[in-house]
Amino acid sequence: MATTLEPPTGEAAPPSAAPSQLGLERDAERAESRRGFLIGLPSLLYLVLFFAIPLGIVFVYSFGNRSRTGRTILGDWTLSSYERLFSSLVMQITGRSLGYAILTTVVCLLVGYPFAYYLATRPPKVRGILLVLVMIPFWSNLLVRTYAWRVILGSDGPLVQVLGAVGFTDVRLLFTPFATILGLIYGFLPFMILPLYASIERLDFSLVEAARDLYASGWEAFRRVTWPLSRPGVIAGSILVFIPSFGAYVIPEILGGSRTTMLGSYVVLQFLSARDQPFGAALSMAILAVMLASALLYFRSGAKDVG
Amino acid sequence: MKRMGRTRRWTAGAAVVALVLTACGGGEGDAASAADCELGATDGDLNLYNWADYMDPELLAQFEEEFGVEVTEDVYPSNEELFARVESGGAQYDVIVPSDYMVDIMIQEDLLMGLNFDAIPNVDNIADEFAAPPYDPDLEFSVPYQWGTTGLGVNLSVIGDVEPSWDLVFDPEVAGELGGRISLLDDPRETMGAALYWLGHDPNTTDEDELQEAADVISASRDWIAAFESNQYSDLLLGGETVVAQGYSGNFLDNFGDDEDYAYLIPEEGATIWTDNMAILADAAAPCTAHTFVNFILDAQNGAQLTNWTYYASPNEAAEEFIVDDVLDNPAIYPDDEVLDNLFFLEDTGDSERFYTDFFTQAKS
């Protein structure tokens, strides 16, 4: 690695000017840089090994061909997998996934914001207890908790029985889009609450008081002070909810009964059933692009507003 | 730190290229050739790659004791995963247990070793029905291990005595009356296959009009199909969420136990029969031990012990006298000849596989 630490010629200070001091400074800088590199090395290796290389393989495979037997032929590169992304079926599934993910994000925000606000304005002791309550679901696996929803929503489950008692008979909840979206909201709500809490908690409430002193109504003070200042939390929370909802696989499979295919399931189908790895890889790359684009868009719009 | 960026990216890029190159190299399988093995010979420990819960551990212990080798068993959840694992080469397995269509694919990919039947005399124990399967007509590369069918599990206490028919899931006048308590498999070939049987078409059709027709049947049935479910169908049936479920014979029978409220039916319009087969990988490290193992499993008593343990039917005819009556007299495990004649293998349709996937995905949502 030593060679890469050589400063590029353009930036280099003239070595002859004050050799001893500059040399010392440079040594310190080098040592600092080397230490930083060493500290970062394990995570760097981890990312390269388990993220960059696999992603590279997916990228390469997406240009491959499916042999008649379902093997992936590399070489003879083609864009045909990417062309299939524009078929009406893929469009339909993408539209559904987008719709579900947006709805999930909006509901999580509507439910999560008041809760995070409440949380952040409690005395520290209560706050601690409430925070633990938010995180308790993480103590058990999402898969287990999603299966529990199967029982709750099942046709002999408590929810259907309550609905039946108040006059809604023959209601079906399990294996409907409602069940899928409910599961997504349930699964990802903490990811909305925690960043919201973090940014509201940091908010200087004397600013809100100042707004009120200047005769701003409660709503006005929220709109012009609290909301803009909590925007970073809104953005972070929305991205943390939107991205996993868009690519969700486990929740729609378990609660949707596979009647509402989302993109995640369609990708799995390519690998485990159609044995069409190039198309599955192309789909994955497309999902990645959509996520990246929406995250960038969101960050940019957020950054502008916050100033 | 900024300057290191370039190096980092370059290293990653090189690694990708290197990996891709290895992957390409691995693609060229060795030509299959029969191993020169004596009866009962061993040439090392055995690595078995099998489905989960599909081998009596006692049998492995007996084999280890009798031949003085060690057996290591790994399991896979699907044929596709098995294929992905052995296709790239470097998987250190000797004996694998692929299903019918996957045997066909693996033969085409030169992944399997031709079997030397001098070392497997017990092949004579195999019943005639399984001696010439469509995916490996002369049993050159595989011998059947266990077999079963794909049909319907039903809750008799709710639906009463019914004809075994796909009407139970597709006919509006039968299925439509079940209050939406039906599940079908979430499997393009099996589920489209069910609709094709009901329509009287070939379950291996590549005719797009017939596939469209089958997709329309599934799509029209969505009003009363609760879920497309490949893993939990048996639990949903036993839990009362469904009353009719499409699924695999052994799985249902294993879960039903002695409960007489439940039954497994093989629809009369036709149903899928499948086999899992023992095969030896072309690059097996211990081909002779592998042959000896295949011969060991095909032994009459060992074959019976396997079936008594798995509750799946054995293709081993000589084993039948040692199989417990519970299994042998159960028409859901050992159907009579009339039903047997109406069972079909799902064969690989090559480039048409994607039509099954896409028609099915379209139909169910």
Side-chain angles (χ1 to χ4, degrees):
Chain A
M1 290 313 297
T3 52
T4 61
L5 292 173
E6 233 35 86
T9 45
E11 271 175 41
S16 55
S20 67
Q21 208 198 335
L22 258 182
L24 270 179
E25 224 168 68
R26 204 164 51 198
D27 280 354
E29 219 171 80
R30 268 191 203 173
E32 182 65 24
S33 148
R34 200 169 302 137
R35 201 172 314 131
F37 174 75
L38 284 176
I39 291 172
L41 195 62
S43 46
L44 181 71
L45 273 179
Y46 180 88
L47 278 176
V48 169
L49 263 179
F50 298 113
F51 180 70
I53 293 179
L55 194 65
I57 294 173
V58 173
F59 183 70
V60 170
Y61 266 56
S62 68
F63 297 100
N65 280 297
R66 179 194 191 274
S67 82
R68 230 194 69 86
T69 53
R71 192 164 55 80
T72 304
I73 302 166
L74 299 171
D76 218 356
W77 308 108
T78 164
L79 282 172
S80 65
S81 293
Y82 285 94
E83 279 157 23
R84 279 179 66 195
L85 292 179
F86 298 98
S87 73
S88 65
L89 180 61
V90 178
M91 286 293 143
Q92 184 197 338
I93 296 172
T94 309
R96 182 185 299 129
S97 299
L98 264 180
Y100 285 11
I102 290 172
L103 189 59
T104 303
T105 311
V106 169
V107 174
C108 279
L109 187 60
L110 288 178
V111 175
Y113 198 96
F115 184 80
Y117 190 89
Y118 177 80
L119 197 62
T121 51
R122 287 316 93 186
K125 219 182 240 171
V126 183
R127 207 188 287 172
I129 296 173
L130 288 175
L131 261 182
V132 169
L133 286 179
V134 172
M135 287 189 254
I136 275 183
F138 288 125
W139 295 359
S140 64
N141 188 292
L142 178 67
L143 194 66
V144 176
R145 286 181 280 135
T146 308
Y147 269 112
W149 273 108
R150 248 196 187 177
V151 180
I152 297 172
L153 297 172
S155 44
D156 296 323
L159 215 52
V160 171
Q161 275 174 1
V162 169
L163 284 174
V166 296
F168 295 97
T169 47
D170 278 337
V171 183
R172 196 156 247 299
L173 296 177
L174 187 58
F175 305 136
T176 59
F178 168 78
T180 305
I181 294 168
L182 185 72
L184 290 172
I185 293 168
Y186 165 78
F188 300 129
L189 185 60
F191 295 111
M192 181 64 91
I193 291 175
L194 295 176
L196 274 175
Y197 163 77
S199 73
I200 296 175
E201 194 239 12
R202 246 179 302 158
L203 198 142
D204 184 356
F205 279 96
S206 55
L207 291 172
V208 182
E209 277 165 32
R212 295 307 297 269
D213 281 349
L214 295 168
Y215 296 104
S217 66
W219 164 247
E220 200 58 3
F222 170 76
R223 197 175 65 84
R224 299 178 65 158
V225 180
T226 315
W227 175 254
L229 287 174
S230 59
R231 274 294 289 259
V234 173
I235 291 163
S238 300
I239 288 173
L240 284 179
V241 171
F242 177 81
I243 287 182
S245 311
F246 184 63
Y249 167 64
V250 169
I251 295 170
E253 280 293 300
I254 295 175
L255 295 178
S258 196
R259 293 172 47 120
T260 46
T261 308
M262 288 179 71
L263 273 172
S265 312
Y266 194 55
V267 172
V268 171
L269 207 57
Q270 302 311 319
F271 283 96
L272 292 190
S273 177
R275 299 192 306 282
D276 195 341
Q277 294 182 349
F279 185 49
L283 275 168
S284 307
M285 294 312 294
I287 294 174
L288 199 74
V290 170
M291 285 177 176
L292 205 65
S294 46
L296 281 178
L297 257 175
Y298 217 118
F299 269 126
R300 191 161 295 174
S301 72
K304 234 178 263 162
D305 280 16
V306 174
Chain B
M1 283 305 286
K2 211 190 231 166
R3 270 171 256 133
M4 258 178 275
R6 202 179 308 138
T7 321
R8 194 180 343 184
R9 229 169 292 142
W10 187 86
T11 321
V16 170
V17 171
L19 246 135
V20 167
L21 287 177
T22 6
C24 294
E28 299 154 26
D30 302 355
S33 59
D36 190 18
C37 294
E38 308 251 324
L39 177 57
T42 56
D43 52 2
D45 291 339
L46 184 80
N47 284 304
L48 172 66
Y49 200 28
N50 196 1
W51 301 80
D53 293 325
Y54 213 27
M55 171 61 80
D56 181 359
E58 278 291 308
L59 272 176
L60 292 185
Q62 284 169 33
F63 180 77
E64 287 180 332
E65 197 173 323
E66 196 174 331
F67 294 95
V69 292
E70 272 196 35
V71 181
T72 312
E73 186 186 22
D74 285 343
V75 297
Y76 49 84
S78 72
N79 281 300
E80 284 66 29
E81 192 155 325
L82 163 69
F83 180 71
R85 191 75 193 275
V86 301
E87 179 240 338
S88 51
Q92 296 298 315
Y93 296 109
D94 302 299
V95 175
I96 56 172
V97 190
S99 301
D100 35 70
Y101 72 98
M102 190 47 74
V103 170
D104 179 23
I105 289 170
M106 288 182 159
I107 293 172
Q108 290 183 49
E109 291 289 337
D110 292 334
L111 290 169
L112 304 181
M113 179 183 285
L115 296 176
N116 174 358
F117 284 102
D118 291 343
I120 314 175
N122 284 340
V123 72
D124 294 339
N125 289 342
I126 289 174
D128 289 344
E129 299 99 284
F130 296 97
Y135 51 87
D136 184 11
D138 300 318
L139 295 184
E140 275 180 90
F141 297 93
S142 69
V143 287
Y145 176 74
Q146 300 265 272
W147 66 274
T149 53
T150 310
L152 296 171
V154 295
N155 184 334
L156 294 172
S157 67
V158 176
I159 63 167
D161 262 340
V162 286
E163 291 291 307
S165 161
W166 292 112
D167 285 351
L168 282 167
V169 295
F170 293 129
D171 185 347
E173 283 174 17
V174 182
E177 299 302 308
L178 293 175
R181 297 189 156 205
I182 298 169
S183 80
L184 292 179
L185 288 172
D186 190 15
D187 181 307
R189 290 304 307 274
E190 290 282 13
T191 315
M192 290 286 281
L196 289 167
Y197 290 126
W198 192 64
L199 289 164
H201 295 320
D202 175 5
N204 295 306
T205 185
T206 53
D207 180 323
E208 281 187 51
D209 291 337
E210 291 185 357
L211 288 173
Q212 182 65 58
E213 240 182 288
D216 291 342
V217 165
I218 294 171
S219 180
S221 306
R222 289 184 63 237
D223 286 345
W224 56 81
I225 302 291
F228 295 90
E229 172 64 73
S230 292
N231 300 311
Q232 304 280 317
Y233 57 84
S234 189
D235 297 331
L236 289 173
L237 182 68
L238 290 166
E241 190 66 40
T242 58
V243 295
V244 175
Q246 186 194 11
Y248 306 107
S249 53
N251 204 327
F252 279 129
L253 293 163
D254 198 29
N255 288 337
F256 293 166
D258 292 331
D259 196 334
E260 296 196 344
D261 281 346
Y262 298 94
Y264 172 75
L265 308 175
I266 301 174
E268 60 197 4
E269 295 94 340
T272 300
I273 182 176
W274 44 262
T275 60
D276 291 316
N277 307 271
M278 290 183 282
I280 301 174
L281 281 175
D283 57 1
C288 292
T289 310
H291 275 83
T292 303
F293 180 75
V294 170
N295 193 52
F296 174 83
I297 294 295
L298 288 180
D299 173 78
Q301 289 197 24
N302 294 341
Q305 188 177 335
L306 181 65
T307 282
N308 291 338
W309 193 85
T310 62
Y311 272 59
Y312 281 106
S314 176
N316 188 332
E317 199 166 23
E320 287 179 11
E321 61 173 304
F322 304 108
I323 293 175
V324 293
D325 291 344
D326 260 5
V327 174
L328 203 57
D329 296 342
N330 188 337
I333 303 179
Y334 278 96
D336 52 41
D337 290 346
E338 199 186 326
V339 177
L340 267 180
D341 285 343
N342 219 4
L343 297 176
F344 303 87
F345 282 106
L346 293 184
E347 293 163 37
D348 183 45
T349 60
D351 293 335
S352 294
E353 290 292 305
R354 75 171 244 212
F355 293 119
Y356 276 89
T357 308
D358 280 358
F359 274 117
F360 179 57
T361 309
Q362 194 119 49
K364 69 179 180 169
S365 52

